[in-house]
Amino acid sequence: MLTGIHVAFIGGDARQLEVIKRCIQLDAIVKLIGFDNLESNFTGATKRPLSCDVLKDADALILPIVGTDDNGYVESIFCSKQLKLQEEHIACLQDHCVVYTGIAKPYLRALLDPKNIPLVELLDRDDVAIYNSIPTVEGALMMAIQNTDITIHGSECIVLGLGRTGLSMARALHALGAHVHVGARRQEHLARIYEMGLTPFHISELRQNVTNVDFIFNTIPQLILTAEVIAQMPQSAFILDLASKPGGTDFRYAERRGIKALLAPGLPGIVAPKTAGQILAQTLSRLIAEQTISRGNQHD
């Protein structure tokens, strides 16, 4: 339970609604900032403006998946006004307050570091990333089917990267009957790809492996599908870049070659916001409870 714990939410999308529900269910004291246009009212939560008065009691401050942009603005689909997190807001936070977000940009880090406010980036956690890979893969398959005129079954697919999303992506494509080739750098990843019954290749050999590809799913957040690589691909190929912005694809050159290439970060929040929100709610409620227990032990 989170009885007596003050949790403040600033902005977000439909995923945050599941986290809010969970916190209320666990008896937390919930304040909502940037939810002015939210039609449904949560019993047990109060809507408030962004101010020091609201933040000074917070034990946990929950920001959207992308905490702030490079200028400090917090995205909220439930608010028509702009929300900007500034130094004066952070100065109001208690020393024990923990800030939770998906990923933190330099602006947010620069705000929190001087006051030593703890920051938890949820997408850095293996558990969250693995759970999130499920709606990511489902969304990727949906986009691949919508944007091509062939079946995935029997197609030539390349997955780039065998991280948490890449592993789930490769496994799903294999289960659908695709011929799956996976590019990786680490020897243990190449060994795992082989053990899974897939075709491994080293990333340095990417150019040689794309000459007859139908689908490429990239999960590596650096420019890897360069003009030199795309030049070797058939015009009918489809690239879906799942890496965080700006992705790992030379989209300008792909368009010039007539190859369809789409950047699709954040698929869980787009294709399955309820499930993605439940994943966050489960993890966040546990972390806040652990934070409370830890603080209680320090005071004993």
Side-chain angles (χ1 to χ4, degrees):
M1 298 295 289
L2 300 178
T3 305
I5 303 302
H6 290 254
V7 182
F9 289 81
I10 303 181
D13 55 25
R15 286 172 285 190
Q16 297 295 71
L17 303 185
E18 296 300 319
V19 186
I20 293 166
K21 287 179 193 173
R22 182 70 173 154
C23 288
I24 293 171
Q25 180 187 352
L26 292 173
D27 201 28
I29 300 164
V30 177
K31 295 176 182 174
L32 306 179
I33 302 162
F35 289 82
D36 305 354
N37 300 335
L38 183 63
E39 291 182 5
S40 60
N41 286 318
F42 287 103
T43 304
T46 56
K47 297 177 183 177
R48 301 291 298 276
L50 178 56
S51 68
C52 283
D53 185 54
V54 179
L55 296 176
K56 64 182 174 60
D57 296 324
D59 299 301
L61 176 60
I62 299 177
L63 297 172
I65 287 298
V66 178
T68 70
D69 67 11
D70 293 325
N71 298 307
Y73 289 100
V74 181
E75 183 182 9
S76 179
I77 67 169
F78 304 109
C79 184
S80 49
K81 298 183 225 171
Q82 286 191 313
L83 297 167
K84 184 170 184 178
L85 193 63
Q86 302 185 71
E87 193 175 332
E88 65 194 63
H89 300 128
I90 301 305
C92 301
L93 296 176
Q94 302 178 79
D95 291 340
H96 68 261
C97 180
V98 178
V99 176
Y100 297 93
T101 185
I103 54 174
K105 295 206 167 185
Y107 179 95
L108 181 59
R109 292 182 183 281
L111 278 186
L112 299 176
D113 285 349
K115 205 180 174 207
N116 294 319
I117 297 290
L119 172 67
V120 176
E121 293 181 84
L122 295 168
L123 295 190
D124 272 350
R125 293 178 57 91
D126 279 337
D127 53 354
V128 173
I130 291 168
Y131 284 130
N132 259 337
S133 73
I134 299 167
T136 297
V137 168
E138 289 191 15
L141 293 173
M142 176 190 75
M143 292 185 71
I145 291 166
Q146 288 175 337
N147 285 280
T148 58
D149 56 4
I150 62 172
T151 60
I152 291 175
H153 186 283
S155 67
E156 297 294 330
C157 291
I158 289 178
V159 176
L160 298 175
L162 199 74
R164 296 159 301 198
T165 299
L167 182 62
S168 297
M169 191 79 241
R171 185 182 287 123
L173 291 168
H174 182 56
L176 286 172
H179 304 133
V180 185
H181 307 251
V182 185
R185 288 192 178 92
R186 291 161 56 177
Q187 290 303 315
E188 62 267 33
H189 284 178
L190 295 171
R192 177 60 68 194
I193 295 161
Y194 175 80
E195 179 272 331
M196 292 170 66
L198 312 178
T199 304
F201 67 88
H202 195 276
I203 288 295
S204 62
E205 300 168 342
L206 180 56
R207 284 178 61 187
Q208 299 94 294
N209 281 270
V210 299
T211 53
N212 67 337
V213 69
D214 296 308
F215 299 93
I216 294 185
F217 300 89
N218 177 53
T219 69
I220 300 173
Q222 63 187 67
L223 183 58
I224 189 162
L225 288 167
T226 61
E228 291 76 18
V229 172
I230 294 171
Q232 305 302 315
M233 293 168 55
Q235 195 174 16
S236 59
F238 174 64
I239 299 170
L240 187 60
D241 202 320
L242 302 171
S244 55
K245 292 181 182 179
T249 303
D250 186 335
F251 291 99
R252 182 202 63 81
Y253 184 73
E255 183 178 9
R256 186 175 178 186
R257 280 245 18 240
I259 292 175
K260 186 175 283 190
L262 300 176
L263 178 62
L267 275 179
I270 298 169
V271 301
K274 186 178 181 71
T275 300
Q278 289 169 344
I279 291 167
L280 294 174
Q282 179 183 353
T283 303
L284 272 167
S285 59
R286 187 178 71 249
L287 290 175
I288 294 170
E290 289 172 356
Q291 165 198 339
T292 307
I293 292 169
S294 172
R295 196 172 84 234
N297 290 339
Q298 288 173 3
H299 290 168
D300 290 343

